[in-house]
Amino acid sequence: MTTAAKQTWSADRYDRNARFVSDLGADVLGWLAPVPGERILDLGCGDGALTMRIADAGASVVGVDASASMVEAARSLGLDAHIADGESLAFDREFDAVFSNAALHWMTDMAAVISGVRRALKPGGRFVAELGGLGNVAAIATAMRGVALARGGDPELAHPWAFPSADVYQALLEGEGFAVRRIALIPRPTPLPTEMSGWLETFRAPFFDQFGTDRHTALADTVALLAPSLRDAEGRWTADYVRLRVEAALEK
Ligand code: BEZ
């Protein structure tokens, strides 16, 4: 990954522009259904908002995230959180469940992630996750690609994510010995709390950084391309999210 492609996280900016991400995690938390005494790994715990809800259910939870800023924010809530690369997890049969919300699509080596999850789980353990699925933010990424092409930039920087279909993800899980209990691709148009520019700055700043002094006009062009599709008559923005939600388990 080039420096320009590297995503960095600010817990403050995330809180302003993306609090809805953990707020919308209620359904996948329902699939996890943590119970007191369970030991659970929250993979890509971010600032710990959902990790805290797992702890509140009485489980013993460990959060891991690649971002030092996010891990610091999670620790400030009193959580047991650590910096770790989700593509090379080092846990060995420690957890009753591995949970993840809105993080796995940043870990593009999906097979390596699933292999690490399998190693982290005890026999009979379950994996419950929600991530961007096929078609997620398609309009947003296409607008960025268009802006890159018009300006002689790199369109690849518009889409660093993995958004698998249900079939592809199920096959990867089964290849690691998981039985898939339920899996669903769920279109979820998501109202944004701020302008589209806030979303773009929070989640795809490296794309705009490539334009140097033209950064602001590239951002304005992207917003203008998206407005007819994703902004309503009152000026409110909706992101074209699609979720892939899954529950899979290992044999006892
Ligand atoms: C998502 O949660 O689907 C997502 C968030 C940021 C960038 C891309 C996708």
Side-chain angles (χ1 to χ4, degrees), residues 197-239:
S197 55
W199 191 97
L200 293 167
E201 288 280 19
T202 303
F203 292 119
R204 208 67 288 250
F207 172 81
F208 296 99
D209 291 344
Q210 69 174 314
F211 299 108
T213 54
D214 288 336
R215 185 182 201 286
H216 289 292
T217 44
L219 185 62
D221 286 356
T222 309
V223 170
L225 275 174
L226 286 168
S229 306
L230 299 183
R231 190 173 64 189
D232 71 12
E234 281 76 42
R236 289 177 301 233
W237 286 91
T238 297

Side-chain angles (χ1 to χ4, degrees), residues 102 105-106 132 136-137 161 163 199 203 241 243:
H105 45 252
W106 293 99
N136 194 39
V137 297
W161 308 292
F163 297 140
W199 191 97
F203 292 119
Y241 276 16
R243 307 284 85 188

Side-chain angles (χ1 to χ4, degrees), residues 11 28 31 34 44 59 90 107 112 121-122 139 162 173 175 203 207-208 228 252:
V28 66
W31 280 30
M107 306 169 203
L121 285 168
K122 297 174 186 170
L173 286 164
F203 292 119
F207 172 81
F208 296 99
K252 291 201 166 125

Side-chain angles (χ1 to χ4, degrees), residues 84-126:
D85 176 356
E87 293 176 349
S88 52
L89 291 174
F91 301 102
D92 184 19
R93 282 179 287 182
E94 289 180 40
F95 294 99
D96 299 293
V98 175
F99 172 78
S100 186
N101 180 55
L104 296 177
H105 45 252
W106 293 99
M107 306 169 203
T108 52
D109 189 344
M110 295 186 286
V113 173
I114 290 170
S115 182
V117 169
R118 196 241 324 129
R119 287 193 303 274
L121 285 168
K122 297 174 186 170
R126 66 196 189 283

